[in-house]
Amino acid sequence: TVCCQALEKQLKICGFKRNVDVLVLYLAGQGLRIVPSLSQFRRLRYLWINNNKIQDLTFLIKNYCLTELYLNNNELTDISGALKHLCALQILLLHNNQLKKLGKTVKELKGMISLQTLNLFHNPLAQDPEYRLYVIYFLPSVQLLDRKSVTQKERESALDLYNHERCSVMQSIAFGKRVNTPLGTTVGSSRCTQPARRLMMPSVWKHSDNAHSLCSFCRVPFENPEDAILLRAMTRSLMEFSSVDWNKIATCQERRLENKEEGPHEKLTIQFR
């Protein structure tokens, strides 16, 4: 077949005598429609197979070591079940194909935790209005998408769009941002003089007497998200520091020589919110 001839030609050009020595294969622009299994090249790392007419990717079923894969300018309509095992991929070019389903395509790539460069432009799925933010959110390792660097602002927008709850938590007091109204007090700021809103806990918490009880129901939803932030501030922002004057404490050698019983050590402890 055409593909087998192209493979033999490449192996002769590179002077490979054993399949295990093959790390690079260049099969671009050969007019290939069908490619036989490349599983014999189990250490293959770089594969150029772009600019062909390929519609099926089952020939990559055992090439786990691939780090760069160039599949652009082919006739691919679906990659489901064909690439998810390639966890070492760092560069994947799929532009100029016929991929239509954004969700299925991104799901196939989720296991590629090392993927840094990804091209999906000039596919029908790229017409989705939220396409870029969707890919950025569900494939967080990608740094270069469609030849354009992923910015921090885009990551924040994607987080706000697809996980608004987590975005709110990240902006809460536990991450360095103060709550606007102190719990159970009146705000004395010149900007705002209204009394603080009363914390409305879920009914399952109304009879809880300690922090352990609160933690045991930490997944009970609040009617108002601000209540969750206030409770987080109340239960997690307590800090304690203790200090001891080590100059007044005998060393092991001193205790043995003097044979004295030590009294309780003086310890200074400070707690604050």
Side-chain angles (χ1 to χ4, degrees), residues 133 136-137 150-163 167 170-171:
L133 293 183
I136 289 173
Y137 177 74
V150 177
T151 65
Q152 182 60 31
K153 186 176 181 180
E154 285 180 318
R155 294 192 188 280
E156 292 172 357
S157 298
L159 180 63
D160 185 51
L161 181 62
Y162 293 103
N163 196 338
C167 186
M170 289 182 67
Q171 295 174 355

Short mmCIF file of all heavy atoms in Angstrom, two decimals, residues 133 136-137 150-163 167 170-171:
data_model
loop_
_atom_site.label_atom_id
_atom_site.label_comp_id
_atom_site.label_asym_id
_atom_site.label_seq_id
_atom_site.Cartn_x
_atom_site.Cartn_y
_atom_site.Cartn_z
N LEU A 133 -13.16 29.95 25.44
CA LEU A 133 -13.24 29.89 26.89
C LEU A 133 -13.54 28.47 27.37
O LEU A 133 -13.05 28.04 28.42
CB LEU A 133 -14.31 30.85 27.41
CG LEU A 133 -14.01 32.35 27.23
CD1 LEU A 133 -15.11 33.18 27.84
CD2 LEU A 133 -12.66 32.72 27.84
N ILE A 136 -10.27 26.56 27.21
CA ILE A 136 -9.35 27.05 28.23
C ILE A 136 -9.74 26.51 29.61
O ILE A 136 -8.87 26.13 30.41
CB ILE A 136 -9.34 28.59 28.24
CG1 ILE A 136 -8.64 29.12 26.98
CG2 ILE A 136 -8.66 29.14 29.49
CD1 ILE A 136 -8.73 30.61 26.80
N TYR A 137 -11.04 26.47 29.90
CA TYR A 137 -11.48 26.00 31.22
C TYR A 137 -11.26 24.50 31.40
O TYR A 137 -10.74 24.05 32.43
CB TYR A 137 -12.95 26.33 31.45
CG TYR A 137 -13.46 25.81 32.77
CD1 TYR A 137 -13.10 26.43 33.96
CD2 TYR A 137 -14.27 24.68 32.83
CE1 TYR A 137 -13.53 25.94 35.18
CE2 TYR A 137 -14.71 24.18 34.05
CZ TYR A 137 -14.35 24.82 35.22
OH TYR A 137 -14.77 24.33 36.43
N VAL A 150 -2.71 31.88 25.85
CA VAL A 150 -3.84 31.97 26.78
C VAL A 150 -3.48 32.96 27.87
O VAL A 150 -2.45 32.81 28.54
CB VAL A 150 -4.16 30.60 27.39
CG1 VAL A 150 -5.29 30.72 28.41
CG2 VAL A 150 -4.54 29.61 26.30
N THR A 151 -4.30 33.98 28.07
CA THR A 151 -4.01 35.01 29.07
C THR A 151 -4.69 34.70 30.40
O THR A 151 -5.63 33.92 30.47
CB THR A 151 -4.50 36.38 28.57
OG1 THR A 151 -5.94 36.37 28.46
CG2 THR A 151 -3.90 36.71 27.21
N GLN A 152 -4.19 35.35 31.46
CA GLN A 152 -4.79 35.19 32.78
C GLN A 152 -6.22 35.71 32.78
O GLN A 152 -7.09 35.15 33.45
CB GLN A 152 -3.94 35.92 33.83
CG GLN A 152 -4.45 35.77 35.25
CD GLN A 152 -4.48 34.33 35.71
OE1 GLN A 152 -3.66 33.51 35.28
NE2 GLN A 152 -5.41 33.99 36.60
N LYS A 153 -6.47 36.77 32.05
CA LYS A 153 -7.82 37.33 31.98
C LYS A 153 -8.79 36.32 31.35
O LYS A 153 -9.93 36.18 31.79
CB LYS A 153 -7.81 38.62 31.17
CG LYS A 153 -9.15 39.34 31.15
CD LYS A 153 -9.05 40.67 30.42
CE LYS A 153 -10.41 41.39 30.43
NZ LYS A 153 -10.34 42.70 29.72
N GLU A 154 -8.33 35.60 30.34
CA GLU A 154 -9.17 34.58 29.70
C GLU A 154 -9.45 33.44 30.68
O GLU A 154 -10.56 32.91 30.72
CB GLU A 154 -8.49 34.05 28.44
CG GLU A 154 -8.53 35.00 27.27
CD GLU A 154 -7.83 34.45 26.04
OE1 GLU A 154 -6.75 33.84 26.20
OE2 GLU A 154 -8.36 34.60 24.92
N ARG A 155 -8.46 33.06 31.46
CA ARG A 155 -8.67 31.99 32.45
C ARG A 155 -9.70 32.42 33.49
O ARG A 155 -10.55 31.63 33.91
CB ARG A 155 -7.36 31.63 33.13
CG ARG A 155 -6.33 31.00 32.17
CD ARG A 155 -5.18 30.38 32.93
NE ARG A 155 -4.11 29.95 32.04
CZ ARG A 155 -4.13 28.81 31.33
NH1 ARG A 155 -5.15 27.99 31.45
NH2 ARG A 155 -3.13 28.49 30.53
N GLU A 156 -9.62 33.67 33.93
CA GLU A 156 -10.58 34.18 34.90
C GLU A 156 -11.98 34.24 34.31
O GLU A 156 -12.96 33.91 34.98
CB GLU A 156 -10.14 35.56 35.38
CG GLU A 156 -8.86 35.53 36.21
CD GLU A 156 -8.32 36.91 36.52
OE1 GLU A 156 -8.92 37.90 36.02
OE2 GLU A 156 -7.31 37.01 37.24
N SER A 157 -12.09 34.66 33.05
CA SER A 157 -13.40 34.72 32.38
C SER A 157 -13.99 33.33 32.21
O SER A 157 -15.19 33.11 32.40
CB SER A 157 -13.26 35.39 31.01
OG SER A 157 -12.82 36.72 31.14
N ALA A 158 -13.14 32.36 31.88
CA ALA A 158 -13.60 30.98 31.72
C ALA A 158 -14.07 30.41 33.04
O ALA A 158 -15.10 29.71 33.12
CB ALA A 158 -12.47 30.12 31.14
N LEU A 159 -13.35 30.72 34.13
CA LEU A 159 -13.74 30.24 35.45
C LEU A 159 -15.07 30.84 35.87
O LEU A 159 -15.94 30.15 36.41
CB LEU A 159 -12.65 30.61 36.47
CG LEU A 159 -12.90 30.18 37.91
CD1 LEU A 159 -12.95 28.67 38.02
CD2 LEU A 159 -11.82 30.73 38.83
N ASP A 160 -15.25 32.12 35.61
CA ASP A 160 -16.50 32.80 35.97
C ASP A 160 -17.67 32.25 35.16
O ASP A 160 -18.79 32.14 35.66
CB ASP A 160 -16.35 34.30 35.74
CG ASP A 160 -17.57 35.07 36.21
OD1 ASP A 160 -18.00 34.87 37.36
OD2 ASP A 160 -18.11 35.87 35.43
N LEU A 161 -17.41 31.87 33.90
CA LEU A 161 -18.48 31.39 33.02
C LEU A 161 -18.89 29.96 33.33
O LEU A 161 -20.08 29.64 33.38
CB LEU A 161 -18.03 31.50 31.56
CG LEU A 161 -19.04 31.05 30.49
CD1 LEU A 161 -20.29 31.93 30.54
CD2 LEU A 161 -18.40 31.13 29.10
N TYR A 162 -17.92 29.08 33.59
CA TYR A 162 -18.21 27.66 33.74
C TYR A 162 -18.17 27.16 35.18
O TYR A 162 -18.57 26.02 35.44
CB TYR A 162 -17.24 26.84 32.88
CG TYR A 162 -17.47 27.05 31.41
CD1 TYR A 162 -16.62 27.86 30.66
CD2 TYR A 162 -18.58 26.50 30.77
CE1 TYR A 162 -16.85 28.09 29.31
CE2 TYR A 162 -18.81 26.72 29.43
CZ TYR A 162 -17.94 27.51 28.70
OH TYR A 162 -18.18 27.74 27.37
N ASN A 163 -17.70 27.99 36.12
CA ASN A 163 -17.70 27.59 37.53
C ASN A 163 -17.82 28.86 38.37
O ASN A 163 -16.90 29.23 39.09
CB ASN A 163 -16.43 26.82 37.88
CG ASN A 163 -16.56 26.07 39.19
OD1 ASN A 163 -17.39 26.40 40.02
ND2 ASN A 163 -15.73 25.05 39.38
N CYS A 167 -15.50 30.60 41.52
CA CYS A 167 -14.97 31.95 41.33
C CYS A 167 -15.32 32.82 42.53
O CYS A 167 -14.50 33.61 43.02
CB CYS A 167 -15.52 32.55 40.04
SG CYS A 167 -14.81 34.15 39.60
N MET A 170 -13.10 31.92 45.51
CA MET A 170 -11.74 32.41 45.35
C MET A 170 -11.64 33.90 45.69
O MET A 170 -10.57 34.40 46.03
CB MET A 170 -11.26 32.16 43.91
CG MET A 170 -11.00 30.71 43.60
SD MET A 170 -10.39 30.46 41.94
CE MET A 170 -8.78 31.24 42.05
N GLN A 171 -12.76 34.60 45.60
CA GLN A 171 -12.76 36.02 45.93
C GLN A 171 -13.18 36.28 47.37
O GLN A 171 -13.31 37.42 47.80
CB GLN A 171 -13.71 36.77 44.98
CG GLN A 171 -13.26 36.72 43.54
CD GLN A 171 -14.28 37.33 42.59
OE1 GLN A 171 -15.37 37.71 43.00
NE2 GLN A 171 -13.92 37.42 41.33
#
